[in-house]
Amino acid sequence: MRGWIKGLAVIAVAVIVAACGGQHPQGIPPQFGDAAPHPWYGRTPAGYEVHGIDVSRWQGPIDWQGVASGGVSFAWIKATEGGDVADPMFRANWEGARRAGLPRGAYHFYYFCRTAQEQAAWFIQNVPAERGALPPVLDMEWTRSRNCPGRPSPEWIRAEAQIFMAIITQHYGQRPVVYTTVDFFRENEMWRLNGVEFWLRSVAGHPDQVYPGHDWTFWQYTGTGLARGVSGEVDLNAFGGSRQQWSRWLARRSQ
């Protein structure tokens, strides 16, 4: 779909949600909407108390005061990719979220044709070590890059992840959270990474169904969410515990 048509569709959905007096897709928390809602059954995102967003340049300018007042409790912001790509909106988003008083952290999108050492150094170069920030995130998923089409072995991927995390942990004093997708998690046996907190994508079912037997801390439940302060679609995420548990997690896992 062309970008401007998609944008009109998102605006139309947002208007409809607002006009219906707060109605929202089944299973989505009432403070949010969804441009392409999934029919949720069983345990739904609405059953969790703490929700957040993750953003990059593709969200455009963000009203962070609006985000903070719209039921969002945390945000992860794209900072870097590979060993030489920096998100041009990172600084604005990083400072905007800070001014709004919103807990926020930075994430790195892993590129399989650069070494873990190069990528960790690039992240450190671009992301300040600030007191109170959320732990960094290592985003590992399959890509369709024409410049890097290969798929390394699971053993290589896990070894590189460990190297990256060790460098980042030493610099920031917090071990990264690992974000990944269903196929990547399964094909690379990511559960073999010891002592890791996972942020798992699952837009068609609860993580306990999609990742049976595996622990998780954050759940990305839609990539087409609608939230106050963001003009288009945005990823929505839930913390896998109560608000009291979230407060304890923040105290333990903030830098």
Side-chain angles (χ1 to χ4, degrees):
M1 182 184 292
R2 291 183 178 179
W4 66 272
I5 297 177
K6 187 176 183 180
L8 290 175
V10 171
I11 293 171
V13 172
V15 169
I16 292 171
V17 170
C20 291
Q23 293 183 12
H24 58 285
Q26 182 182 14
I28 298 293
Q31 66 268 37
F32 304 120
D34 200 322
H38 175 78
W40 291 100
Y41 302 100
R43 299 180 67 185
T44 71
Y48 292 90
E49 298 179 325
V50 179
H51 296 262
I53 60 175
D54 60 276
V55 301
S56 69
R57 64 184 296 182
W58 304 112
Q59 274 66 51
I62 294 173
D63 173 8
W64 284 102
Q65 295 292 340
V67 169
S69 65
V72 170
S73 297
F74 62 90
W76 263 301
I77 301 167
K78 184 175 182 179
T80 51
E81 179 175 337
D84 57 3
V85 177
D87 191 292
M89 292 296 294
F90 173 69
R91 291 289 179 179
N93 286 332
W94 188 252
E95 289 303 313
R98 181 191 62 79
R99 289 194 296 269
L102 193 67
R104 86 286 195 240
Y107 76 87
H108 174 79
F109 187 87
Y110 204 85
Y111 187 66
F112 298 107
C113 292
R114 300 292 288 264
T115 69
Q117 292 89 339
E118 288 178 293
Q119 298 191 59
W122 181 240
F123 183 86
I124 289 169
Q125 181 178 329
N126 285 276
V127 179
E130 291 187 6
R131 188 175 182 85
L134 299 179
V137 169
L138 170 59
D139 177 351
M140 298 191 90
E141 54 189 285
W142 294 129
T143 68
R144 297 179 180 178
S145 172
R146 289 177 294 180
N147 296 325
C148 186
R151 292 193 172 190
S153 70
E155 293 77 16
W156 185 93
I157 286 173
R158 294 195 303 272
E160 288 289 290
Q162 293 283 23
I163 294 169
F164 180 94
M165 289 189 291
I167 296 171
I168 295 300
T169 300
Q170 183 176 18
H171 182 81
Y172 293 98
Q174 281 285 3
R175 187 169 174 81
V177 171
V178 174
Y179 168 92
T180 193
T181 60
V182 179
D183 56 344
F184 194 92
F185 184 88
R186 180 182 62 249
E187 292 169 16
N188 296 291
E189 300 182 345
M190 296 298 284
W191 61 86
R192 294 183 180 274
L193 293 174
N194 295 322
V196 168
E197 288 190 285
F198 282 105
W199 169 15
L200 300 177
R201 177 176 175 84
S202 180
V203 299
H206 191 276
D208 289 354
Q209 299 170 323
V210 180
Y211 301 83
H214 298 295
D215 294 332
W216 57 276
T217 303
F218 294 93
W219 168 24
Q220 186 182 83
Y221 55 84
T222 182
T224 54
L226 301 172
R228 184 185 303 172
V230 183
S231 60
E233 298 175 7
V234 66
D235 295 331
L236 299 179
N237 306 274
F239 171 73
S242 67
R243 191 161 294 279
Q244 291 74 22
Q245 289 171 318
W246 168 245
S247 296
R248 292 196 294 270
W249 189 91
L250 271 182
R252 178 174 57 88
R253 291 290 272 137
S254 296
Q255 294 177 29

